[in-house]
Amino acid sequence: MWSAIEPIGRDAGTGGYRRFAWTRADHDLREWFAGECASRGLDLTVDRAGNQWGWWGDPDAAVRAGRPGVVIGSHLDSVPDGGAFDGPLGVVSALASVDALRANGFAPSRPIGVVNFADEEGARFGIACAGSRIITGQLAGDRARGLTDGDGVSLAEALSRAGGSPDELGVDTETLRRIGCFVELHVEQGRAMVDTGDPVAIGTGLWPHGRWRIDFPGEANHAGTTRLADRQDAMIGYAHTVLATRAAAEGHGCLATIGKVQVRPGGVNAIASGVTGWLDARGADEAAVLDAVSEIAAIAAGHGATVRRESWTPPTSFDAGLADRLLAVLGPQVPRLGTGAGHDAGILAVHGIPTAMLFVRNPTGVSHSPAEFAERDDCLAGVAALTAVTGDLAS
């Protein structure tokens, strides 16, 4: 499975992946997922946000019996020039766990679902975990349809071109009621497990995190003929805000980054008429993160900018009872880790669905980069852990 998806969306120049929502690479990955589900006899459904679900067993009958399904999986899309493991490791491991359970003769008493969440990274339209946010109502359908990418293509247009139904975007209670619990396996995004020496860890929760769009005004003019005193250069306010972002993060003990920018008109010899930057802020302490953002927004506003929050996820603790059950299955030696990264598991947890995560060791600690990595033996340890947990939950 890993070899089959390895070349999809990979840039030959950078070695990184560009698997953006509702593009050709995304289409090919979705077709691959559908084929893997078909080869295992899993019943494939697609919800109102385009998330794919492969079911072993009847999820609706399980709902009627009061024993909704056990869901495992993750996502297949990537950030720009992202790594191979962020998302796909969880999907491949989930399918491998189904294979392992069947090879052991396991017969689930609760249905098992394997999910591929759509647009988890938000790389194209700016909002992370869009697929899970839409079905839970954390991202309204009308707002989702109106999101645009860097080329001005709306999410509705992109979804329609990909054969989807943008009019259906919205809360999906039928899908949600099928989920009794969700366990997401993911490569570690950090190097805590390098220090502990463990191949697998149990997630305890997610730091609060959010994204903000900042629009700086300016006036286009000729870079070679306009006096400095006469310029209204949008890049100046942007530059001050980037520096303020680093200072605010240091001052409040959190993390803040402006990692994406659009400059208009974008000419080497043209003064910028407008600049849009996207701020990502997160940290262990919610108040510290919001205070840092307020400080950054004040600097930006001083340069005439408008600041708009695009997404926010509060501190998210995973279900304690479910985490204890994972620990009972895997053993008391397995460490517990929190994370500053966002995941679909966090969105479902906020919605009230019992959720847990498993992390697989990352020897470099690097993520969202072609250098992202996990050793084969550690990946197999992750599959073994997910298999044991899934078998216990579906018994």
Side-chain angles (χ1 to χ4, degrees):
M1 287 186 286
W2 196 256
S3 297
I5 64 173
E6 188 174 19
I8 300 175
R10 191 169 196 172
D11 183 82
T14 67
Y17 288 91
R18 299 177 182 181
R19 297 165 166 171
F20 307 145
W22 315 120
T23 62
R24 181 69 202 193
D26 184 56
H27 171 271
D28 291 347
L29 289 165
R30 292 171 64 83
E31 287 293 297
W32 170 84
F33 181 81
E36 293 297 319
C37 289
S39 70
R40 290 166 174 79
L42 304 181
D43 293 326
L44 183 69
T45 63
V46 180
D47 66 27
R48 295 184 62 184
N51 306 308
Q52 296 174 292
W53 308 78
W55 286 102
W56 176 9
D58 186 341
D60 294 321
V63 170
R64 291 192 294 271
R67 287 175 59 79
V70 176
V71 178
I72 53 180
S74 191
H75 64 96
L76 293 172
D77 64 310
S78 77
V79 298
D81 288 326
F85 294 81
D86 182 353
L89 181 62
V91 175
V92 170
S93 297
L95 292 167
S97 293
V98 169
D99 294 343
L101 288 168
R102 285 179 167 172
N104 293 333
F106 180 75
S109 63
R110 298 172 63 185
I112 296 173
V114 178
V115 63
N116 168 33
F117 279 109
D119 200 9
E120 192 271 353
E121 298 290 5
R124 185 175 181 187
F125 298 103
I127 294 186
C129 301
S132 54
R133 288 185 190 275
I134 290 169
I135 63 169
T136 58
Q138 296 177 45
L139 174 60
D142 285 343
R143 186 181 174 204
R145 281 184 282 271
L147 296 172
T148 57
D149 65 13
D151 296 321
V153 178
S154 71
L155 189 151
E157 293 172 306
L159 180 56
S160 181
R161 292 174 187 174
S165 303
D167 291 343
E168 294 183 2
L169 292 173
V171 175
D172 195 329
T173 55
E174 181 179 359
T175 292
L176 293 171
R177 68 188 179 92
R178 294 172 171 173
I179 310 170
C181 62
F182 176 49
V183 180
E184 181 174 7
L185 180 145
H186 204 281
V187 69
E188 183 191 9
Q189 294 170 293
R191 33 189 337 271
M193 292 158 68
V194 174
D195 297 332
T196 67
D198 297 286
V200 177
I202 297 171
T204 58
L206 310 180
W207 287 0
H209 57 278
R211 293 183 182 183
W212 289 260
R213 172 175 171 151
I214 310 176
D215 291 293
F216 299 87
E219 180 180 84
N221 215 326
H222 196 296
T225 62
T226 309
R227 296 184 306 175
L228 293 178
D230 294 336
R231 298 184 181 205
Q232 298 179 44
D233 187 346
M235 283 296 292
I236 301 300
Y238 168 75
H240 280 285
T241 303
V242 170
L243 296 174
T245 295
R246 179 58 179 262
E250 291 176 341
H252 292 279
C254 60
L255 304 174
T257 306
I258 297 180
K260 179 180 178 180
V261 59
Q262 292 178 352
V263 182
R264 298 174 294 277
V268 175
N269 59 348
I271 297 167
S273 63
V275 174
T276 300
W278 280 266
L279 167 68
D280 178 293
R282 57 187 78 200
D285 183 82
E286 182 176 19
V289 175
L290 295 176
D291 286 346
V293 171
S294 295
E295 187 174 306
I296 295 164
I299 297 295
H303 292 276
T306 58
V307 181
R308 185 181 69 191
R309 188 178 76 185
E310 292 197 327
S311 65
W312 172 253
T313 301
T316 305
S317 296
F318 295 134
D319 186 87
L322 185 56
D324 287 343
R325 188 162 177 178
L326 265 62
L327 197 67
V329 171
L330 301 179
Q333 77 284 353
V334 178
R336 298 192 185 201
L337 296 177
T339 178
H343 300 282
D344 292 303
I347 303 303
L348 296 188
V350 169
H351 189 69
I353 293 172
T355 303
M357 288 192 74
L358 294 172
F359 295 121
V360 172
R361 178 168 49 192
N362 179 343
T364 67
V366 175
S367 186
H368 286 185
S369 158
E372 182 179 84
F373 186 65
E375 297 285 356
R376 175 182 172 83
D377 286 349
D378 288 352
C379 292
L380 294 177
V383 171
L386 184 62
T387 300
V389 165
T390 304
D392 177 73
L393 293 170
S395 295

